[in-house]
Amino acid sequence: MIPGLALILLVLVLNAAFTVLSVLFGYDDVLRLPPGEVMARFHAAGPALVVAWIAFAAGALAFAWIGPMAERRAGLSGQGWLAPAAALAMAAGLLRWVVAVPVLAAAHQAPGATEVTQVAMAAAYIALHQFAGAGVGEVLGQVLLCAWTLRLSLALAPRQPWLAAFGLLLLPLWLLGLSEPLAAGLPALPVVEAAPIAFMAWEAWLVAIGLAWIVAALRPASPATA
């Protein structure tokens, strides 16, 4: 029962943090705005926004523990490194909002900030966003998460084929979602904003798995298995 509860709790924490970020910061549409406007919004939101980012990153890090637990519950053996690697990559991307962006935003929005300072802070923000956010958090994190989803789906196939099929159907969405962060280096690449849909569907999949495992744990054992 614990793996199922852990999956559902993970989804609840991630959604709670995402909701706060949406209200305070307009996430994730805000990422497509000019750097100066992003930093102005960030600075205006205050410490509550940083706390929300910490919660979001903590949820991502929790997947390093919950992912391997789910693998073991699905019958997989060996060292499951995909979930911890994905968790670290995504958390590294999210933590830029905790340790780096506050400094850049404060300097950009300082009362005496010159145009040169603001341009420098905007350039630093772009570089940080493209490397830590788009490169490490999105591209690397999502590729690893996609691989973990494939691994778990194949493990679920013998006993829960419908859950396995749901997981496998998510893979094209993950791949399409990579077009947005990769577009900076490949301008000719058509951009499909599929990542938000993939994440929401992935979370629904985790909840479905969690509920199935909880129901299985609560179901009385048959005389034969007893």
Side-chain angles (χ1 to χ4, degrees):
M1 182 183 296
I2 292 178
L5 290 173
L7 288 176
I8 294 173
L9 181 60
L10 174 65
V11 173
L12 291 176
V13 170
L14 291 176
N15 274 277
F18 186 89
T19 299
V20 174
L21 291 172
S22 299
V23 173
L24 294 179
F25 194 41
Y27 186 72
D28 64 344
D29 290 336
V30 70
L31 301 181
R32 301 172 183 88
L33 298 177
E37 189 172 344
V38 175
M39 286 188 282
R41 288 193 182 193
F42 187 95
H43 188 70
L49 181 58
V50 176
V51 173
W53 281 115
I54 293 173
F56 205 19
L61 282 174
F63 185 64
W65 168 67
I66 295 174
M69 182 194 301
E71 291 180 11
R72 291 191 295 271
R73 173 60 180 81
L76 291 169
S77 58
Q79 297 294 326
W81 60 271
L82 286 172
L88 290 174
M90 291 186 292
L94 294 173
L95 285 173
R96 76 189 188 276
W97 298 101
V98 178
V99 298
V101 176
V103 178
L104 300 178
H108 187 277
Q109 295 297 304
T114 65
E115 183 178 352
V116 173
T117 298
Q118 291 181 330
V119 170
M121 294 304 101
Y125 167 84
I126 292 172
L128 181 67
H129 176 70
Q130 289 303 122
F131 176 73
V136 177
E138 294 183 37
V139 175
L140 181 58
Q142 289 181 30
V143 166
L144 291 168
L145 202 61
C146 186
W148 180 85
T149 300
L150 173 61
R151 175 174 163 83
L152 191 67
S153 296
L154 295 177
L156 293 171
R159 294 185 180 180
Q160 295 165 312
W162 66 279
L163 286 174
F166 190 176
L168 293 174
L169 287 174
L170 295 175
L171 302 183
L173 286 176
W174 284 123
L175 297 177
L176 286 173
L178 292 175
S179 63
E180 189 171 9
L182 291 175
L186 300 170
L189 185 68
V191 174
V192 181
E193 295 178 9
I197 300 173
F199 266 111
M200 289 187 290
W202 184 73
E203 288 177 335
W205 181 61
L206 293 186
V207 171
I209 294 172
L211 290 174
W213 286 349
I214 291 172
V215 170
L218 295 175
R219 185 182 296 125
S222 65
T225 58

